[in-house]
């Protein structure tokens, strides 16, 4: 079994990723690291992990760890991904893996130099509902795709939360704006040619709390908004001249809605729905990562893909500054 080490006791790790690893087919939670040794031990006990460490460096130095999951604040992702790679550990790092596309070049170089796997934790990449959307579009079920619409919002105005701290990489676009962009790129295989955007920043936090974006691709447009201070909503719609696809819980299936994909024909006289029950996209991600690290045939979200997606986010910020 692949022996996972976890750098930090961040909430997403405890509530989502660690339970998923524990339930995966390929790996075990081997060790937890925290700057608070007592907290590391408590979380390790919770997940039956034999090892706990009072520093991240200690975990990286352990020969009983094969790879690490990094849920640290965004501003620390590059630093600790590089340190883990230098220690010979495979790396699964929370999104966004960087705050600028150019920063990912350092990770690509480290990956190749140390012969380790480094991947950004886009769990949606492994959810079968997106394979269904891709299949429907490519097979012509909605005809010519003309418009993609998306949204992802939640309400969080806690000043102590990292999502509301510029220095830690907070903001709507880094946290959730990456999802409509990656999903659209994922199912169409295209990159935006032109981008327009408007961003509203919180007057106290300085983070982008609302962003509305129009991205023009070669064959279609993408329009989406994201916000950290609106009531919760997420949805993606792919609209063609012969039909339409709705993804009802595109990013957090089970929290915002059931994992289901609906197709309607152009006249709304025919429809079909696919539901995806008992799917844990975090476990699918962990298993795909381990299989890829073992050299098995597996498709993994690559750093090159990460760079391309972050480039879109960089362009959104640049477009908003022109307004």
């Amino acid at each position: 079994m692949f022996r996972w080490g976890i750098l930090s006791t961040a909430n997403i790790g405890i509530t989502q990723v660690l339970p998923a690893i524990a339930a995966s087919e390929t790996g075990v939670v081997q060790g937890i690291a925290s700057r608070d040794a007592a907290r590391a031990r408590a979380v390790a006990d919770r997940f039956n992990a034999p090892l706990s460490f009072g520093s991240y460096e200690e975990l990286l130095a352990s020969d009983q760890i094969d790879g690490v999951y990094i849920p640290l604040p965004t501003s620390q992702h590059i630093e600790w991904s590089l340190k883990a790679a230098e220690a010979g550990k495979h790396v699964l790092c929370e999104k966004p893996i960087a705050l600028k596309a150019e920063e990912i070049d350092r990770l690509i170089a480290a990956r190749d130099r140390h012969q380790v796997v480094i991947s950004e934790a886009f769990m949606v990449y492994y959810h079968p509902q997106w394979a269904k959307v891709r299949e429907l579009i490519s097979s012509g079920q909605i005809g010519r795709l003309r418009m993609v619409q998306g949204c992802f919002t939640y309400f969080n105005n806690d000043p102590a939360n990292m999502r509301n701290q510029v220095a830690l990489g907070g903001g709507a676009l880094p946290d959730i704006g990456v999802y409509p962009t990656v999903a659209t790129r994922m199912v169409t295989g295209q990159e935006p040619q032109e981008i327009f955007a408007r961003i509203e920043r919180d007057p106290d936090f300085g983070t982008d709390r609302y962003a509305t974006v129009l991205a023009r691709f070669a064959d279609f447009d993408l329009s989406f908004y994201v916000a950290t201070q609106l009531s919760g909503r997420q949805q993606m719609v792919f609209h063609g001249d012969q039909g339409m696809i709705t993804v009802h819980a595109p990013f957090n299936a089970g929290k915002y809605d059931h994992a289901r994909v609906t197709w309607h024909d152009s006249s709304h006289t025919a429809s079909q729905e696919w539901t995806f029950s008992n799917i844990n996209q975090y476990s699918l991600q962990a298993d795909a990562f381990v299989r890829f690290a073992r050299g098995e045939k597996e498709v993994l979200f690559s750093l090159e893909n990460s760079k391309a997606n972050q480039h879109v986010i960089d362009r959104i910020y640049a477009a908003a500054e022109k307004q």
Side-chain angles (χ1 to χ4, degrees), residues 89-101:
K89 310 300 184 188
H90 300 299
V91 180
L92 179 64
C93 181
E94 259 312 319
K95 38 60 47 189
I97 202 166
L99 290 168
K100 292 287 184 182

Side-chain angles (χ1 to χ4, degrees), residues 106-126:
R106 298 169 62 195
L107 297 180
I108 293 173
R111 175 198 67 189
D112 296 344
R113 182 168 61 252
H114 299 291
Q115 293 295 290
V116 295
V117 176
I118 305 178
S119 183
E120 188 172 13
F122 268 118
M123 72 291 186
V124 296
Y125 189 75
Y126 308 94

Side-chain angles (χ1 to χ4, degrees), residues 12-247:
I12 188 172
I14 294 174
T15 61
Q16 300 288 353
V17 180
L18 269 72
I21 289 174
S24 70
E25 300 175 350
T26 57
V28 294
V29 180
Q30 180 77 354
I32 308 292
S34 172
R35 293 191 174 98
D36 181 335
R39 179 164 174 76
R41 186 63 257 165
V43 174
D45 289 341
R46 177 175 171 181
F47 291 96
N48 297 314
L51 305 176
S52 64
F53 305 87
S55 74
Y56 306 145
E57 289 88 352
E58 289 180 59
L59 185 147
L60 294 181
S62 172
D63 61 3
Q64 297 185 59
I65 300 293
D66 300 313
V68 299
Y69 165 65
I70 302 177
L72 292 165
T74 301
S75 59
Q76 300 177 34
H77 286 176
I78 292 288
E79 174 190 358
W80 286 99
S81 292
L82 287 172
K83 288 181 177 180
E86 289 164 1
K89 310 300 184 188
H90 300 299
V91 180
L92 179 64
C93 181
E94 259 312 319
K95 38 60 47 189
I97 202 166
L99 290 168
K100 292 287 184 182
E102 62 190 25
E103 295 176 343
I104 299 174
D105 288 333
R106 298 169 62 195
L107 297 180
I108 293 173
R111 175 198 67 189
D112 296 344
R113 182 168 61 252
H114 299 291
Q115 293 295 290
V116 295
V117 176
I118 305 178
S119 183
E120 188 172 13
F122 268 118
M123 72 291 186
V124 296
Y125 189 75
Y126 308 94
H127 199 295
Q129 69 176 348
W130 286 109
K132 172 55 69 175
V133 174
R134 184 165 52 243
E135 173 196 325
L136 291 171
I137 292 173
S138 63
S139 64
Q141 289 298 304
I142 61 171
R144 179 187 174 192
L145 177 64
R146 297 302 309 274
M147 170 59 77
V148 180
Q149 292 178 309
C151 64
F152 191 169
T153 63
Y154 59 78
F155 194 94
N156 180 342
N157 62 356
D158 177 7
N161 191 288
M162 62 160 283
R163 293 166 181 81
N164 295 317
Q165 298 183 39
V166 172
L168 297 181
L173 284 166
D175 188 36
I176 52 180
V178 293
Y179 284 113
T181 58
V182 81
T184 302
R185 295 177 52 253
M186 183 169 64
V187 299
T188 66
Q190 295 190 33
E191 302 292 342
Q193 298 181 342
E194 194 174 10
I195 293 178
F196 305 89
R198 186 171 70 84
I199 291 174
E200 177 185 289
R201 294 187 179 274
D202 185 282
D204 298 317
F205 305 146
T207 53
D208 48 298
R209 65 181 179 185
Y210 173 81
T212 179
V213 178
L214 173 63
R216 289 179 172 168
F217 291 69
D219 302 324
F220 63 91
D221 291 336
L222 163 65
S223 173
F224 74 88
Y225 65 91
V226 292
T228 59
Q229 293 180 31
L230 285 180
S231 59
R233 184 189 180 208
Q234 58 176 238
Q235 190 177 67
M236 291 290 289
V237 176
F238 298 83
H239 201 161
D241 58 6
Q242 296 179 33
M244 181 174 66
I245 301 163
T246 302
V247 188

